[in-house]
Amino acid sequence: MLLIPGPVSCSTEVIKALGTDSLSHTGGEFTPIFHNVLKQLRVLFHSPTSSGSMPLVISGSGTLGFDLVGNNLFPRGKNKILLLSTGYFSDEFGECLGDYYKHDITVLKSDVVGESINLVKLQDLLHKGSYDGVVMTHVDTSTGVLNDIKRISELVHSESPGTLVIVDAVCSLGCEEIRFDDWQLDFVLSASQKAVGAPTGLSISMISKRALDIALENDNTVSYYTSLKKWVPSIKSYEIGELPVTYFATPPIQLISALNIALQQLLSRDYVGEHRKRSNWFKKELTESLGLELVSRGPVETTAHGLASVYVANPGGIVTALNRLDIAIAGGIHPEIKGQYIRVGLMGCDASEPTLLRVLDAVRQSQT
Amino acid sequence: MLLIPGPVSCSTEVIKALGTDSLSHTGGEFTPIFHNVLKQLRVLFHSPTSSGSMPLVISGSGTLGFDLVGNNLFPRGKNKILLLSTGYFSDEFGECLGDYYKHDITVLKSDVVGESINLVKLQDLLHKGSYDGVVMTHVDTSTGVLNDIKRISELVHSESPGTLVIVDAVCSLGCEEIRFDDWQLDFVLSASQKAVGAPTGLSISMISKRALDIALENDNTVSYYTSLKKWVPSIKSYEIGELPVTYFATPPIQLISALNIALQQLLSRDYVGEHRKRSNWFKKELTESLGLELVSRGPVETTAHGLASVYVANPGGIVTALNRLDIAIAGGIHPEIKGQYIRVGLMGCDASEPTLLRVLDAVRQSQT
């Protein structure tokens, strides 16, 4: 039983689509599959073709999305980027943009570990400074903090309309609502192996028209494999779906076939509602019944719905006890509070009520 | 029937290993699988731990290997690189190193399309110039040209011992002999979906001790996702195989499980001998029985053993006729001769004698 916050357990149908032989990457069998994946991603992101946006699916892990941003969206030079930091993964994103792509990073940290970004402080910074991009983590998998990206984007657009709004949604796509066009987002990066319900190995993103224009005119990209000038013609040809498609690098046939089924299943359900309900119930059990404190602060309804991060007396003991029952949960990874909490994934096929009840039991026993 | 020069058809056992549910990427079930993959890659490359070399397996397509070279092996500045060009893929590699990573590229092209690199000219260039790296394609998938990387490496080491020897083995690993240590290679990049016999989605490489030392001390890497400083501690921890492993980015669980089986099967066979035999037979049928000319020049035994590139009167007609029989072969992609030839893959489970006989039939019929 896989109850870590990703990779998650996939459905039987997804695994069946995965366990098929290779197809020609430019042929008539695979092209409609990739076409369908891209079409469904537009539904998932609420972003039709008419908006000029574009979905991207690239062979690689979620981390590759950091490079798509750093390499393409800011023509090189000292670009000013405001990084909203709510945990380990925000800081990794900042390392990529600052230490590697040499952008000038200003960090706005949450006031306390577990809090989302302070909007008053954000408004103040936006008012005083001039930023080429604001970068945030929708859900930081290290803390379970959920940022209100809709309100943050509104703030950015009202204070600084030229600034790109960039979101890491690795741990939110498929379990939190993301209205790409309505919320005027410019780049959302995610991955296949969390709430989307597919295997690991695909970087999934959506890029706005204005960000795409920047990327395609950017003459200073330094990384070849993450250059959108190379990828966009190929992915666009799969989205059009007519042969011959344009080749750049061979797409991972089976992972894309599995993603196709995962998206069909996801979009046929009220995936936001289901994750909310499960998360709210589980977190109330942790806080109200067991009297524990979540790492993510505020009402449980406003914390990430794809995982629960909770302070416990003996994190290692609980992880080990559950391992013995064949249930994998995760320990903490936020450097400031690493040894003080556990993380329980609430995404994927194994995150059912009976299994979560067993987790609650193990937590209860360890507290006594 | 998949007879393109990759992706290839995988064995039933490989597809079975692929079609399994996700495991925890840091857990006790997956770690031994990744450990075995790395151990087997050392056997495939003839490079034991004692040499200080290191196998690398990263989520991404074969193209990602170009970035591993450009980003890590040459501390930035104008590095002088000698590119041995034998086709489309050599030129792509050159574009990555020159246009993106801004290295100073000198190109030595084969005298005529289809010829391997002229060793006298190479020796002359090495003698006159001073290069930080020599980059070559072992087998260029666009032409079927096979470079004698053993002799080229000997030449480089005797004329210019400080120069790194770098090989693109995307279309040769698993069907041509590669003795990494004996031949004193520094970096060999490849992929999972060709003669290795696994699905698409993994970049596979081997790096020498001296190249690894450069990469780990390189303070000027620009791409984050392809930075070996980030990957090496994680992959090394999987190679040691003890928990806890070091996290960088989530490895693609199922692809690595499939690769594990593909490598077991490959290493249990005389994969070099088998590919040689099949290729020599098929090419003699094309040249001696059908009187056709191969794109790759010289005795058939010295051309790539994983594919046949052959000039035909009506390439499109043959591709279409075979498509109707459910056999996929590939057209030409080398810009200078694009519409004049076909490419038939000789790797993977579908490349059997009965199927290849049907290809020969279709070619014969189209010539009359």
Side-chain angles (χ1 to χ4, degrees):
Chain A
M1 292 287 173
L2 205 51
L3 287 190
I4 59 175
V8 305
S9 173
C10 305
S11 75
T12 317
E13 294 77 17
V14 168
I15 294 305
K16 203 178 144 196
L18 178 68
T20 50
D21 201 0
S22 297
L23 303 169
S24 167
H25 55 303
T26 55
E29 267 188 281
F30 175 65
T31 301
I33 295 172
F34 201 172
H35 171 82
N36 273 335
V37 161
L38 297 166
K39 210 167 104 179
Q40 293 180 92
L41 284 176
R42 288 197 178 277
V43 179
L44 185 60
F45 280 105
H46 302 276
S47 184
T49 325
S50 57
S51 71
S53 68
M54 190 178 161
L56 304 166
V57 177
I58 296 178
S59 177
S61 90
T63 308
L64 186 140
F66 294 171
D67 284 69
L68 293 178
V69 172
N71 191 36
N72 294 284
L73 304 192
F74 306 105
R76 277 170 82 78
K78 277 273 172 205
N79 291 284
K80 286 193 71 180
I81 294 176
L82 179 59
L83 177 84
L84 312 184
S85 168
T86 47
Y88 176 85
F89 289 94
S90 323
D91 294 339
E92 295 275 293
F93 202 166
E95 185 191 359
C96 169
L97 299 175
D99 294 356
Y100 285 77
Y101 290 96
K102 312 295 181 201
H103 301 304
D104 176 8
I105 312 293
T106 303
V107 179
L108 173 59
K109 252 188 133 158
S110 39
D111 295 335
V112 179
V113 170
E115 273 188 4
S116 54
I117 287 299
N118 183 319
L119 297 182
V120 178
K121 285 190 181 169
L122 172 60
Q123 184 159 25
D124 188 49
L125 274 172
L126 288 169
H127 196 72
K128 283 187 199 147
S130 152
Y131 297 99
D132 300 290
V134 172
V135 169
M136 70 207 78
T137 311
H138 194 183
V139 166
D140 202 294
T141 322
S142 72
T143 52
V145 170
L146 173 69
N147 274 314
D148 187 343
I149 59 171
K150 176 174 182 275
R151 284 188 63 194
I152 292 175
S153 183
E154 277 167 9
L155 250 180
V156 177
H157 280 278
S158 77
E159 291 291 340
S160 177
T163 302
L164 295 182
V165 179
I166 295 159
V167 177
D168 170 348
V170 169
C171 199
S172 69
L173 185 68
C175 61
E176 310 287 352
E177 189 172 35
I178 300 178
R179 303 193 73 90
F180 190 81
D181 292 352
D182 293 349
W183 298 351
Q184 295 183 271
L185 308 175
D186 287 297
F187 199 92
V188 174
L189 65 99
S190 190
S192 48
Q193 80 276 11
K194 303 215 177 196
V196 170
T200 303
L202 293 172
S203 155
I204 297 171
S205 330
M206 183 63 88
I207 183 169
S208 72
K209 185 175 183 316
R210 70 170 180 170
L212 193 57
D213 288 345
I214 292 171
L216 295 179
E217 281 160 23
N218 186 346
D219 285 331
N220 273 309
T221 46
V222 285
S223 153
Y224 182 75
Y225 187 68
T226 63
S227 167
L228 290 182
K229 278 183 295 180
K230 303 303 288 185
W231 281 108
V232 163
S234 175
I235 298 174
K236 205 164 254 177
S237 77
Y238 282 106
E239 189 172 12
I240 294 167
E242 283 168 15
L243 299 181
V245 291
T246 305
Y247 173 76
F248 171 52
T250 310
I253 312 295
Q254 287 93 339
L255 292 181
I256 289 176
S257 300
L259 176 61
N260 186 34
I261 304 300
L263 287 171
Q264 275 175 30
Q265 297 189 324
L266 190 69
L267 293 172
S268 70
R269 291 162 26 209
D270 171 21
Y271 57 90
V272 172
E274 287 173 18
H275 281 94
R276 274 178 193 279
K277 202 176 141 195
R278 185 192 298 143
S279 168
N280 294 345
W281 160 74
F282 186 69
K283 285 172 184 166
K284 278 182 182 154
E285 289 292 319
L286 288 171
T287 53
E288 293 174 12
S289 307
L290 297 179
L292 296 170
E293 190 193 343
L294 296 180
V295 173
S296 45
R297 299 190 170 212
V300 298
E301 292 81 0
T302 65
T303 66
H305 302 94
L307 79 154
S309 296
V310 60
Y311 290 107
V312 288
N314 179 11
I318 298 175
V319 171
T320 309
L322 283 167
N323 249 334
R324 261 187 239 116
L325 304 174
D326 238 359
I327 298 175
I329 65 163
I333 56 169
H334 190 293
E336 289 176 41
I337 52 170
K338 203 171 168 178
Q340 303 170 38
Y341 71 110
I342 55 169
R343 296 178 301 147
V344 181
L346 304 172
M347 305 168 283
C349 290
D350 286 348
S352 64
E353 199 176 310
T355 313
L356 290 169
L357 282 170
R358 294 171 70 192
V359 175
L360 290 171
D361 269 348
V363 173
R364 186 180 295 112
Q365 280 170 30
S366 83
Q367 301 305 105
T368 52
Chain B
M1 291 287 174
L2 205 50
L3 287 190
I4 58 176
V8 305
S9 172
C10 304
S11 75
T12 317
E13 294 76 17
V14 168
I15 295 303
K16 203 178 146 198
L18 178 67
T20 49
D21 201 0
S22 297
L23 302 168
S24 168
H25 55 302
T26 55
E29 264 187 283
F30 176 65
T31 300
I33 295 173
F34 202 172
H35 170 82
N36 272 335
V37 162
L38 297 165
K39 209 167 106 180
Q40 292 180 95
L41 284 176
R42 289 197 177 276
V43 180
L44 184 60
F45 281 104
H46 301 276
S47 185
T49 326
S50 56
S51 71
S53 68
M54 190 179 162
L56 304 166
V57 177
I58 296 178
S59 177
S61 87
T63 308
L64 186 140
F66 294 171
D67 284 68
L68 293 178
V69 172
N71 191 37
N72 294 285
L73 303 193
F74 306 104
R76 276 169 84 76
K78 277 274 172 203
N79 291 285
K80 286 193 73 181
I81 294 176
L82 179 59
L83 177 82
L84 313 184
S85 169
T86 47
Y88 175 86
F89 289 95
S90 323
D91 296 340
E92 296 275 294
F93 202 167
E95 185 191 357
C96 168
L97 298 175
D99 295 356
Y100 285 78
Y101 289 97
K102 312 294 182 203
H103 301 306
D104 177 6
I105 312 293
T106 303
V107 179
L108 172 60
K109 252 186 135 159
S110 40
D111 295 333
V112 177
V113 171
E115 273 188 4
S116 54
I117 286 299
N118 183 317
L119 297 183
V120 178
K121 285 189 180 169
L122 172 61
Q123 182 158 26
D124 188 49
L125 274 172
L126 288 169
H127 196 71
K128 284 185 198 149
S130 152
Y131 298 99
D132 300 292
V134 172
V135 169
M136 71 210 76
T137 313
H138 194 184
V139 167
D140 201 294
T141 324
S142 73
T143 53
V145 169
L146 173 69
N147 274 313
D148 187 342
I149 59 172
K150 175 174 182 272
R151 283 189 62 195
I152 293 175
S153 183
E154 276 167 11
L155 252 180
V156 176
H157 281 279
S158 76
E159 291 289 340
S160 177
T163 303
L164 296 182
V165 180
I166 295 159
V167 177
D168 170 348
V170 169
C171 200
S172 69
L173 185 68
C175 59
E176 311 287 352
E177 190 172 33
I178 300 177
R179 302 193 73 90
F180 190 82
D181 292 352
D182 293 349
W183 299 352
Q184 293 184 275
L185 308 176
D186 287 296
F187 199 91
V188 173
L189 65 98
S190 192
S192 48
Q193 79 276 11
K194 302 213 179 202
V196 169
T200 304
L202 294 172
S203 156
I204 297 171
S205 328
M206 183 63 88
I207 184 169
S208 72
K209 185 175 183 314
R210 70 169 179 170
L212 193 58
D213 287 345
I214 293 172
L216 296 178
E217 280 160 25
N218 186 347
D219 286 329
N220 273 309
T221 46
V222 285
S223 152
Y224 183 74
Y225 187 68
T226 61
S227 167
L228 290 182
K229 277 182 295 181
K230 304 302 289 186
W231 281 108
V232 163
S234 175
I235 298 175
K236 204 163 256 178
S237 76
Y238 282 106
E239 190 171 12
I240 294 167
E242 282 168 17
L243 298 182
V245 290
T246 305
Y247 173 77
F248 171 51
T250 311
I253 312 295
Q254 287 93 340
L255 293 181
I256 288 175
S257 301
L259 176 61
N260 186 33
I261 303 300
L263 288 170
Q264 274 174 32
Q265 297 189 324
L266 191 70
L267 293 172
S268 71
R269 291 161 27 209
D270 171 20
Y271 56 90
V272 172
E274 286 172 20
H275 280 93
R276 273 177 193 277
K277 201 176 143 195
R278 187 191 298 142
S279 168
N280 294 346
W281 161 73
F282 185 68
K283 285 173 184 165
K284 280 184 180 154
E285 289 292 319
L286 288 171
T287 53
E288 293 174 12
S289 306
L290 297 180
L292 296 170
E293 191 194 341
L294 296 179
V295 173
S296 47
R297 300 191 170 213
V300 299
E301 292 81 1
T302 64
T303 67
H305 302 93
L307 78 154
S309 296
V310 60
Y311 290 107
V312 288
N314 178 13
I318 298 175
V319 171
T320 309
L322 284 168
N323 248 332
R324 262 187 238 116
L325 303 174
D326 240 359
I327 297 175
I329 65 162
I333 55 168
H334 190 293
E336 289 176 41
I337 51 169
K338 204 171 169 178
Q340 304 169 37
Y341 71 110
I342 55 170
R343 295 178 301 148
V344 181
L346 303 172
M347 305 168 283
C349 291
D350 286 347
S352 64
E353 199 176 310
T355 313
L356 290 169
L357 282 170
R358 292 170 71 193
V359 175
L360 289 171
D361 268 347
V363 173
R364 186 179 296 113
Q365 280 169 30
S366 83
Q367 301 305 104
T368 53

